[in-house]
Amino acid sequence: MLGLSVATLVGYLAAIVVLMVTPGPDMMFVLANAARYGTRAGVVAALGVATGEAVHIAAVVCGLATVIAASPVLFTVIRWVGAAYLIILGVRALRGAGAAPSGRPEQGGSSGRAFLRGLVTNLLNPKMILFSVAFLPQFVDPAQGNATAQLVLLGAVFVVVQLAVDIALGAGVGRLGARMTDGRFSRRVNRICAAAFVALGVRLALGS
């Protein structure tokens, strides 16, 4: 298929599954939205994240990601902006951790806002840029066919698998939160995600 062998695709899927089970800002954002605003918000946030990933893949195909990764100043700016954004999300989540005491999804989490924030969270993650530049090309073999087509296929597989994982997590957390009548589950998930946002932001700012 487009020059990619079955063995290559299986190895690639195994690699991205390992990456996806490691919690990151995208996963935390989807969980936070699902816990606070309900299943729909979690799913829409996952769609926003997936759109951001598609943009990263398109940048790799066009060569833009390589330019960004090779520019220390531009990459540092993106890293700092991304770190600040994650910390702001964490602080806001902590401030709202006591909301929705009845256990019902909190009002005010519009689909458009969830999608946009998911998109921005992914786009401002410099590790996604490095991943796109350094990881995807490892599975491309120009001798087996069109390298661009292989990159597009690998990127599409990544987006689809990531979207499936995030939607499953968002839907699961959203439904579970809606069943908890006292709201403790939603508040706990929100606090955990908030702390994760701040920790990930600080770690990103330190360049680790």
Side-chain angles (χ1 to χ4, degrees):
M1 182 184 297
L2 295 179
L4 292 175
S5 66
V6 175
T8 298
L9 284 175
V10 170
Y12 176 69
L13 285 172
I16 61 177
V17 166
V18 172
L19 291 173
M20 289 176 187
V21 298
T22 304
D26 294 334
M27 182 186 294
M28 292 295 103
F29 182 78
V30 171
L31 293 179
N33 271 266
R36 186 171 182 180
Y37 300 118
T39 300
R40 179 182 176 84
V43 172
V44 173
L47 290 173
V49 168
T51 302
E53 291 170 346
V55 172
H56 281 295
I57 301 303
V60 170
V61 174
C62 296
L64 297 177
T66 302
V67 174
I68 294 175
S71 174
V73 175
L74 183 56
F75 189 80
T76 299
V77 169
I78 294 176
R79 178 166 63 85
W80 277 97
V81 172
Y85 183 71
L86 288 176
I87 293 174
I88 290 173
L89 284 179
V91 172
R92 287 181 175 177
L94 284 173
R95 291 175 61 184
S102 65
R104 299 174 181 175
E106 183 182 348
Q107 299 299 315
S110 69
S111 296
R113 182 178 300 177
F115 180 88
L116 182 60
R117 287 183 176 177
L119 174 64
V120 173
T121 299
N122 185 269
L123 290 179
L124 291 181
N125 184 0
K127 292 188 177 181
M128 269 303 300
I129 299 176
L130 292 178
F131 166 82
S132 302
V133 173
F135 184 76
L136 291 181
Q138 294 183 30
F139 296 88
V140 173
D141 184 2
Q144 298 299 318
N146 191 305
T148 299
Q150 292 181 51
L151 277 174
V152 171
L153 175 60
L154 291 170
V157 170
F158 180 84
V159 172
V160 169
V161 174
Q162 181 71 66
L163 182 59
V165 172
D166 284 345
I167 286 180
L169 289 173
V173 169
R175 290 174 181 173
L176 187 57
R179 293 178 181 177
M180 301 296 179
T181 58
D182 58 5
R184 286 184 296 178
F185 175 79
S186 295
R187 289 196 297 271
R188 288 174 180 173
V189 172
N190 205 43
R191 290 192 183 101
I192 292 172
C193 291
F197 279 136
V198 174
L200 288 168
V202 172
R203 182 179 179 183
L204 187 58
L206 296 176
S208 58

